[in-house]
């Protein structure tokens, strides 16, 4: 479960002055559902997700992630989330197994329980054959699988995925999509960001359209269609964003 | 829990670091090889050069040798001297190092000495190349030949007047060394060794510090780790301890290598000159090594923390390297000063970071333990170290540093 309350992030930039990257956003994501933040580049998607993952601290407002407050319990939040983006790379000099083991240990697991958990995930994702290879020797697809294994090892309740399929080939991106759907069916709360309309259309139970740091519209695809009287998500998006321009 | 997290981060970072070739080279290979190469290499080269210059013989030009026929023959017969015919361009030849020295005799040199009349205005000029090793050797040889000749003239004049030569030497001076070989060696090489160890401490920490901060940003692992169930404090501490380990291991390895080298040196190197013998007689006491090591620890803490804080500012490996090079110079300067002859610890120098440790280590290695100063320096470098640690810890909490755009 994710509940944001007036979540705001302001950057101070020498050239541009004050930038309201996330401007008082309120939304809720529920377990067993996929919430999609749809927005153009620079709309504030990544900053929102970084705030939820406690990588950045909100300027004002807050959010409760898996029942913990971002500002007061950031470590408990981190313990209960899996964060994945194209920017979350792996340690190249560690093997796949060492990588997943490291994050498992940081999550408080150890010994045979951790080993079993890793075996289980590696079997599930087909990582076994390259488990002892160093991450910098893996293909992009293999790396993505290891990244998924990394987010899964502590079995978090909330998955935060920042443009998870950007720049991936068809096969790898299918692996990711399968993983996202799998999370939903296991009752996890999933929030993802995307600028790909078809992906939002296919995957998300709720879509939030974000532009210039503000959440402009929210609802299921049907609800958005009802509100705008348009059928195509791209049209809906342009209309929603364009109206405020 | 937090301690456990620090341990997890530390073990991972250490494993990661030890798989980095650059780190391995600066942390293991360089300190082990540097000491023997430097000590064997420099010593043998210096000794060889000096001996070569000595044995090679010196070319000497005599100007106005007709005024000093007796001396000219003596110089010609002197071992290691080749007299070459006089020429106009002797100055250029000396400058070009084709000629070591030229000796100019004034007109009527020997005949005036012979007559015994007042000859104090007679001047024998030796043209030489100041600071050039072989020219200096030749100069010394010529000076000694001339001195002997003068002594003989004096002796003859005294004899003519029926006086004993003893009246010229009413007493003798004898120089007697009271410093132990340790101290003599300490003075000769003691300044260089702390300098090297301090520099190695810094370079050993440099690559891991960059790799664990700017390297993480460059490779995109920083977001991965910041979103993981680990506190920033534990992360920073684990990284700091890893860099410190690298720094201290570099120091330990270089000290070990130094000890072994000094122990083995006399067995392998043929040492001809007295100076060479002195160089290797510089035996380090075990307590001296331990004390130097203890003085280096707060310095290693300071270096590790400062390097981490600086490297964390950078977005890439390259950027970090360019930020760190001024720090290298900043460290190199004070520790270089400590090598200068005549620089001793003073009330003020005790507070100058790096230089203080460098100087006190020089003292310790030559067997002088001034406990009040040692304690004060340990304290002051610990204070600097704590300051650097505080800055590094703050940097890890700042978004503007972690995500600089």
């Amino acid at each position: 479960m994710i509940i944001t309350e007036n979540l705001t992030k302001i950057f101070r930039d020498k050239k541009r002055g004050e930038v309201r990257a996330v401007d008082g956003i309120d939304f809720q994501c529920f377990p067993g559902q996929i919430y999609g933040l749809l927005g153009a580049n620079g709309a504030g998607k990544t900053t929102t997700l970084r705030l939820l993952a406690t990588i950045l601290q909100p300027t004002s407002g807050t959010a409760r992630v898996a029942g913990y407050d971002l500002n007061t319990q950031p470590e408990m939040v981190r313990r209960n989330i899996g964060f994945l983006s194209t920017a979350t790379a792996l340690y190249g000099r560690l093997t796949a197994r060492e990588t997943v083991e490291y994050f498992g240990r940081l999550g408080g697991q150890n010994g045979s329980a951790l080993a079993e958990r890793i075996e289980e995930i590696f079997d599930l994702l087909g990582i076994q054959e390259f488990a002892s290879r160093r991450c910098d020797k893996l293909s992009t697809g293999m790396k993505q699988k290891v990244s998924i294994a990394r987010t899964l090892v502590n079995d978090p309740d909330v998955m935060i995925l920042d443009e998870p399929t950007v720049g991936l080939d068809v096969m790898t991106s299918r692996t990711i999509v399968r993983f996202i759907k799998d999370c939903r069916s296991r009752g996890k709360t999933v929030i993802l960001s995307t600028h790909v309309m078809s992906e939002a259309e296919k995957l998300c139970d709720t879509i939030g359209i974000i532009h210039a740091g503000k959440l402009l519209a929210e609802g299921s695809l049907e609800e958005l269609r009802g509100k705008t009287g348009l059928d195509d998500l791209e049209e809906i998006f342009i209309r929603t964003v364009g109206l405020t321009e | 829990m937090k301690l456990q997290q620090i341990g997890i981060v530390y073990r991972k970072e250490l494993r990661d670091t030890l798989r980095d070739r650059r780190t391995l080279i600066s942390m293991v290979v360089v300190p082990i090889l540097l000491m023997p190469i430097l000590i064997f290499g420099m010593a043998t080269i210096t000794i060889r050069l000096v001996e070569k210059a000595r044995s090679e013989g010196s070319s000497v030009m005599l100007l106005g040798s007709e005024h000093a026929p007796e001396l000219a023959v003596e110089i010609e017969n002197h071992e290691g001297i080749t007299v070459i015919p006089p020429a106009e361009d002797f100055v250029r030849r000396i400058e070009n190092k084709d000629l070591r020295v030229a000796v100019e005799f004034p007109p009527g040199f020997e005949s005036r000495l012979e007559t015994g009349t007042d000859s104090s205005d007679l001047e024998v000029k030796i043209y030489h190349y100041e600071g050039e090793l072989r020219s200096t050797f030749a100069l010394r040889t010529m000076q000694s030949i001339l001195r002997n000749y003068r002594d003989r003239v004096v002796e003859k004049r005294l004899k003519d007047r029926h006086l004993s030569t003893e009246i010229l030497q009413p007493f003798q001076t004898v120089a007697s060394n009271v410093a132990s070989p340790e101290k003599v060696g300490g003075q000769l090489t003691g300044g260089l060794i702390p300098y090297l160890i301090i520099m190695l401490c810094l370079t050993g920490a440099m690559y891991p510090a960059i790799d664990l901060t700017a390297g993480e940003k460059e490779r995109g692992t920083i977001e991965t780790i910041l979103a993981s169930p680990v506190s920033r404090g534990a992360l920073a501490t684990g990284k700091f301890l890893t860099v410190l380990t690298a720094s201290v291991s570099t120091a330990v390895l270089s000290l070990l290598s130094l000890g072994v080298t000094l122990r083995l040196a006399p067995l392998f190197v043929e040492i001809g000159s007295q100076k060479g013998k002195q160089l290797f007689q510089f035996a380090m006491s075990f307590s001296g090594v331990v004390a130097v090591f203890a003085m280096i620890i707060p310095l290693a803490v300071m270096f590790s923390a400062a390097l981490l804080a600086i490297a964390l500012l950078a977005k890439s490996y390259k950027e970090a390297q360019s930020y760190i090079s001024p720090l290298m110079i900043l460290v190199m300067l004070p520790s270089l000063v400590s090598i200068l002859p005549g620089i001793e610890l003073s009330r003020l120098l005790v507070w100058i970071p790096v230089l203080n440790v460098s100087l006190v280590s020089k003292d310790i290695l030559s067997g002088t333990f001034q406990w009040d100063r040692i304690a004060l320096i340990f304290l002051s470098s610990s204070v600097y170290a704590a300051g650097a640690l505080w800055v590094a810890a703050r940097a890890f909490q700042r978004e503007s540093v972690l995500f600089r755009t």
Side-chain angles (χ1 to χ4, degrees):
Chain A
M1 181 88 182
I2 301 171
I3 308 162
T4 75
E5 291 165 25
N6 197 25
L7 194 63
T8 304
K9 180 69 183 179
I10 300 169
F11 291 113
R12 278 173 185 73
D13 190 280
K14 270 183 199 143
K15 283 177 204 149
R16 293 182 294 167
E18 208 172 72
V19 180
R20 303 181 81 85
V22 176
D23 197 357
I25 283 185
D26 289 294
F27 64 82
Q28 299 187 353
C29 318
F30 300 96
Q33 287 198 1
I34 298 173
Y35 188 102
L37 275 179
L38 186 64
N41 291 336
K45 304 185 299 283
T46 297
T47 307
T48 307
L49 297 188
R50 280 182 175 175
L51 287 170
L52 293 177
T54 75
I55 294 173
L56 298 176
Q57 278 184 336
T59 312
S60 65
T62 188
R64 291 188 79 77
V65 177
Y68 298 100
D69 187 86
L70 277 191
N71 291 314
T72 56
Q73 300 158 294
E75 276 165 51
M76 289 313 293
V77 171
R78 283 199 285 273
R79 195 165 292 277
N80 288 282
I81 58 165
F83 181 70
L84 183 69
S85 85
T86 39
T88 49
L90 298 166
Y91 291 105
R93 292 191 292 262
L94 296 188
T95 66
R97 178 170 278 111
E98 285 166 350
T99 305
V100 179
E101 214 173 74
Y102 177 47
F103 290 96
R105 281 187 203 283
L106 287 177
Q109 303 187 68
N110 52 42
S112 56
L114 176 60
E116 276 169 32
R117 173 84 186 139
I118 291 173
E119 289 310 300
E120 187 191 324
I121 299 171
F122 278 16
D123 283 337
L124 188 79
L125 295 167
I127 294 178
Q128 291 295 7
E129 53 183 303
F130 55 86
S132 309
R133 254 199 267 169
R134 278 167 58 155
C135 289
D136 53 9
K137 301 270 185 275
L138 300 179
S139 71
T140 313
M142 291 170 172
K143 280 182 190 159
Q144 275 304 321
K145 285 184 178 178
V146 178
S147 283
I148 294 172
R150 179 210 23 103
T151 52
L152 284 178
V153 67
N154 292 318
D155 199 20
D157 291 333
V158 175
M159 303 305 277
I160 302 172
L161 314 169
D162 185 16
E163 306 210 337
T165 58
V166 152
L168 299 179
D169 65 20
V170 184
M171 289 313 291
T172 319
S173 118
R174 278 176 76 94
T175 312
I176 298 276
V177 168
R178 206 180 312 130
F179 155 69
I180 295 169
K181 286 182 174 164
D182 208 48
C183 285
R184 170 169 57 190
S185 61
R186 284 166 189 237
K188 293 187 191 301
T189 307
V190 180
I191 180 166
L192 62 85
S193 70
T194 183
H195 62 264
V196 184
M197 302 297 155
S198 58
E199 195 173 79
E201 229 167 294
K202 262 193 292 183
L203 268 175
C204 303
D205 301 300
T206 309
I207 296 170
I209 296 178
I210 183 172
H211 186 72
K214 287 193 157 68
L215 193 66
L216 300 178
E218 192 189 39
S220 67
L221 187 56
E222 287 314 310
E223 284 167 351
L224 289 174
R225 279 173 179 156
K227 274 181 202 168
T228 55
L230 294 165
D231 188 51
D232 183 48
L233 182 57
E234 193 172 311
E235 292 301 322
I236 295 171
F237 178 77
I238 297 290
R239 170 77 61 85
T240 311
V241 171
L243 277 176
T244 63
E245 270 178 353
Chain B
M1 188 58 215
K2 198 163 178 202
L3 263 182
Q4 199 186 336
Q5 280 200 335
I6 293 171
I8 295 167
V9 173
Y10 175 71
R11 276 199 301 276
K12 178 261 159 191
E13 299 291 23
L14 199 62
R15 174 188 272 168
D16 202 348
T17 294
L18 287 175
R19 286 181 187 170
D20 179 31
R21 199 176 300 139
R22 279 174 294 205
T23 302
L24 273 186
I25 289 173
S26 72
M27 183 175 142
V28 181
V29 181
V30 171
I32 289 181
L33 292 184
L34 187 66
M35 292 298 175
I37 288 175
L38 214 79
I39 290 180
F40 279 119
M42 295 288 278
T44 15
I45 288 171
T46 316
I47 293 165
R48 288 263 159 83
L49 274 181
V50 169
E51 254 145 41
K52 195 177 164 219
R54 259 197 205 136
S55 64
E56 207 172 46
S58 310
S59 51
V60 174
M61 188 186 284
L62 301 179
L63 305 164
S65 60
E66 66 276 14
H67 306 304
E70 195 189 319
L71 246 180
V73 172
E74 195 182 326
I75 291 171
E76 241 167 281
N77 292 337
H78 196 276
E79 205 193 323
I81 284 185
T82 318
V83 173
I84 60 168
E88 289 289 308
D89 61 344
F90 65 93
V91 172
R92 191 187 55 81
R93 286 210 214 174
I94 293 172
E95 275 181 344
N96 289 349
K97 301 182 188 176
D98 295 330
L99 177 63
R100 301 289 166 249
V101 290
V103 185
E104 186 181 36
F105 298 103
F109 179 67
E110 278 183 15
S111 55
R112 278 185 64 190
L113 287 177
E114 202 68 36
T115 56
T117 51
D118 182 27
S119 57
S120 55
D121 62 319
L122 282 177
E123 215 171 55
V124 179
K125 257 193 190 160
I126 307 173
Y127 299 92
H128 70 112
Y129 187 143
E130 173 94 49
E132 207 272 318
L133 186 72
R134 288 170 299 185
S135 181
T136 309
F137 270 128
L139 171 70
R140 288 207 193 120
T141 314
M142 295 319 295
Q143 280 172 332
S144 111
I145 293 173
L146 287 166
R147 206 180 303 120
N148 285 338
Y149 183 74
R150 187 176 54 196
D151 288 350
R152 289 206 306 273
V153 171
V154 171
E155 211 171 305
K156 185 174 166 290
R157 288 183 180 180
L158 288 172
K159 234 179 221 164
D160 291 347
R161 288 169 175 76
H162 306 290
L163 291 167
S164 159
T165 51
E166 275 167 29
I167 61 163
L168 289 178
Q169 281 204 340
F171 65 89
Q172 307 268 336
T173 54
V174 178
S176 172
N177 174 34
V178 294
S180 62
E182 255 182 39
K183 296 202 174 184
V184 174
Q187 286 302 318
L188 288 173
T189 46
L192 187 67
I193 283 160
Y195 166 73
L196 284 176
I197 293 169
I198 287 170
M199 288 315 291
L200 286 171
C201 236
L202 184 71
T203 52
M206 193 174 82
Y207 285 113
I210 297 176
D211 197 63
L212 298 185
T213 52
E216 286 230 30
K217 287 190 193 175
E218 191 170 281
R219 292 187 295 264
T221 49
I222 191 125
E223 268 192 57
T224 317
I225 193 66
L226 288 179
S228 305
V230 57
S231 74
R232 300 256 165 111
L235 190 65
T237 314
K239 283 180 185 293
F240 163 74
L241 289 176
T242 310
V243 177
L244 182 65
T245 305
S247 182
V248 171
S249 326
T250 313
V252 170
L253 284 174
S254 57
L255 276 171
L256 278 177
S257 165
L258 179 69
V260 172
T261 308
L262 289 174
R263 191 56 56 87
L264 296 182
L267 301 178
F268 288 104
V269 181
E270 211 183 308
I271 305 143
S273 72
Q274 192 54 36
K275 191 118 178 165
K277 257 183 204 150
Q278 262 178 349
L279 204 67
F280 288 115
Q281 264 170 7
F282 163 46
M284 285 192 305
S285 65
F286 183 70
S287 58
V289 173
V290 172
V292 168
F293 181 67
M295 297 308 291
I296 299 267
I297 294 278
L299 213 55
V301 171
M302 184 175 89
F303 287 161
S304 307
L307 285 170
L308 270 181
I310 293 171
L312 193 62
L313 283 174
K315 279 179 289 186
S316 67
Y317 216 100
K318 263 194 181 157
E319 197 185 336
Q321 277 178 315
S322 61
Y323 288 168
I324 281 172
S325 19
L327 182 76
M328 296 285 285
I329 294 168
L330 218 64
V331 172
M332 219 183 279
L333 280 180
S335 41
L336 255 179
V337 167
S338 72
I339 302 183
L340 296 178
I343 294 264
E344 301 272 339
L345 263 178
S346 70
R347 226 174 263 278
L348 183 73
L349 293 186
V350 160
W351 294 98
I352 297 180
V354 183
L355 178 60
N356 56 6
V357 172
S358 202
L359 285 174
V360 84
S361 304
K362 185 169 152 184
D363 280 353
I364 291 172
L365 284 179
S366 57
T368 314
F369 288 79
Q370 286 178 293
W371 287 110
D372 51 336
R373 293 226 159 127
I374 290 175
L376 204 58
I377 288 170
F378 190 82
L379 184 81
S380 80
S381 25
S382 299
V383 169
Y384 294 127
L389 257 181
W390 183 78
V391 172
R394 289 264 308 204
F396 268 93
Q397 300 293 342
R398 292 189 55 172
E399 267 168 27
S400 56
V401 172
L402 291 171
F403 292 95
R404 212 166 55 90
T405 46

